[in-house]
Amino acid sequence: MTAIETFTGDASPYQGGDPYADYRTADFPFTHYANLADRRLGAGVIAANDEFFAQRENLLLPERAEFDPEHFGHKGKIMDGWETRRRRGRSADHPWPAEDDHDWALIRLGAPGVVRGIVVDTAHFRGNYPQAVSVEGTCVPGSPSPEELLGDDIKWTTLVPRTPVGGHAANGFAVSVEQRFTHLRLKQHPDGGIARLRVHGEVVPDPAWLQALGTFDVVALENGGQVEDASNLFYSPATNTIQPGRSRKMDDGWETRRRRDRGNDWIRYRLVEQSRIRAIEIDTAYLKGNSAGWASVSVKDGEDGEWVQALPRTRLQPDTNHRFVLPEPVTGTHARLDIYPDGGISRLRLHGSLTETGAGRLTARHQELGG
């Protein structure tokens, strides 16, 4: 089940120098999907049975794991991940962990959705990584407590069966379960440490919530919007432009390399569903000498629809949130942001509401996926 079988097994002991020099990773086909376990979306590790050496919250940190060979605490080596104590058997005659012994962590996804792939990253865990991992998912409405999630009435669906993993490696697993999930249970068998967990998938929002809001951001990641493609991802991912909240620093937006031709850069989005857009925000926060010079927004209805200009090419200011009320609402399922000639923006907001057709299709999909 591991994406690359050669990842299974120990990594070499740390020999000094760049700790990532012998790190094993790959370009997994599902990582273009959003990370549903992103803290910016509201994800959290809400419980774990053991976190003796390293805290469970480290699993969802957005940065890659760091390693300091000299960093020790009163419990031992301090690792940037989630690490449990060594398990022991029941007696001197049977000192080894039982076959079904494992440690677990409960993860609340930041946005419920369909999981397309999972990365269990054991960076810097070379001799202390788990022998195997497994991942299960469930869909529970509201804000259940850990005790409720661990109750006998909760049905868990296997996303990743118990599978061997490798140390100091990005262990990737494609997932093919067409179901909406709100929470995951990560297990490591029998014990050990995991640096990071990434859960890539498609957001499936609650249509009743969106209908109650009325007007909302129809391209926002948390509401089910997606980035389909972009002309350039040199400095940062285009998905940053539809993350919640305002950008907090320059690399929290989207920035392209400098163009030396007569072209322009762009991002293409898929909206949550067919929507009627009434207002647009383009934010260049923290992009000062590198913000886009001009921008335009177009919308189309359906995969084969024609692009209709919603916002003509408009001058942008650095480090500024620009707001535009459209003279007439524009209806569509997709949007395209063009910037001229290059540079970046931090956020795009398309404020509107679902059409009757869009609301019906979203409700039908939500029901089909068990929401």
Side-chain angles (χ1 to χ4, degrees), residues 224-237:
Q226 292 186 35
V227 168
E228 288 193 326
D229 200 5
S231 61
N232 188 275
L233 303 173
F234 189 83
Y235 286 112
S236 46

Side-chain angles (χ1 to χ4, degrees), residues 73-93:
H74 63 276
K75 290 184 178 180
K77 180 71 183 73
I78 295 177
M79 296 295 291
D80 185 7
W82 168 50
E83 185 180 5
T84 65
R85 72 191 76 201
R86 298 184 188 224
R87 282 183 172 268
R88 296 292 183 249
R90 65 179 184 269
S91 68
D93 293 333

Side-chain angles (χ1 to χ4, degrees), residues 70-260:
E70 305 298 328
H71 197 191
F72 287 85
H74 63 276
K75 290 184 178 180
K77 180 71 183 73
I78 295 177
M79 296 295 291
D80 185 7
W82 168 50
E83 185 180 5
T84 65
R85 72 191 76 201
R86 298 184 188 224
R87 282 183 172 268
R88 296 292 183 249
R90 65 179 184 269
S91 68
D93 293 333
H94 297 278
W96 309 278
E99 178 62 23
D100 60 351
D101 279 353
H102 65 271
D103 292 317
W104 54 264
L106 293 177
I107 294 94
R108 179 191 63 244
L109 297 180
V114 179
V115 178
R116 300 301 184 191
I118 295 174
V119 177
V120 178
D121 189 349
T122 59
H124 315 303
F125 289 93
R126 296 170 178 268
N128 51 347
Y129 62 94
Q131 181 184 35
V133 300
S134 60
V135 183
E136 302 163 296
T138 190
C139 184
V140 181
S143 304
S145 67
E147 293 74 21
E148 290 170 323
L149 289 170
L150 296 172
D152 294 336
D153 58 331
I154 299 297
K155 178 185 176 182
W156 291 91
T157 300
T158 298
L159 304 183
V160 178
R162 181 171 175 169
T163 308
V165 293
H168 197 44
N171 299 274
F173 306 90
V175 177
S176 58
V177 180
E178 287 294 321
Q179 188 175 330
R180 181 178 184 265
F181 296 102
T182 59
H183 296 77
L184 300 187
R185 181 163 59 187
L186 170 65
K187 295 180 180 179
Q188 48 179 338
H189 308 266
D191 54 38
I194 297 169
R196 298 288 188 268
L197 177 72
R198 306 292 186 232
V199 183
H200 298 280
E202 299 178 65
V203 176
V204 180
D206 182 351
W209 174 254
L210 297 183
Q211 288 288 80
L213 293 178
T215 297
F216 60 94
D217 183 358
V218 299
V219 76
L221 181 59
E222 61 186 325
N223 294 332
Q226 292 186 35
V227 168
E228 288 193 326
D229 200 5
S231 61
N232 188 275
L233 303 173
F234 189 83
Y235 286 112
S236 46
T239 303
N240 281 352
T241 61
I242 54 175
Q243 289 282 4
R246 296 202 67 194
S247 175
R248 297 182 179 181
K249 50 193 175 74
M250 191 177 73
D251 65 350
D252 191 20
W254 171 61
E255 183 186 358
T256 70
R257 73 178 75 200
R258 299 189 187 209
R259 277 190 172 268
R260 303 305 187 201

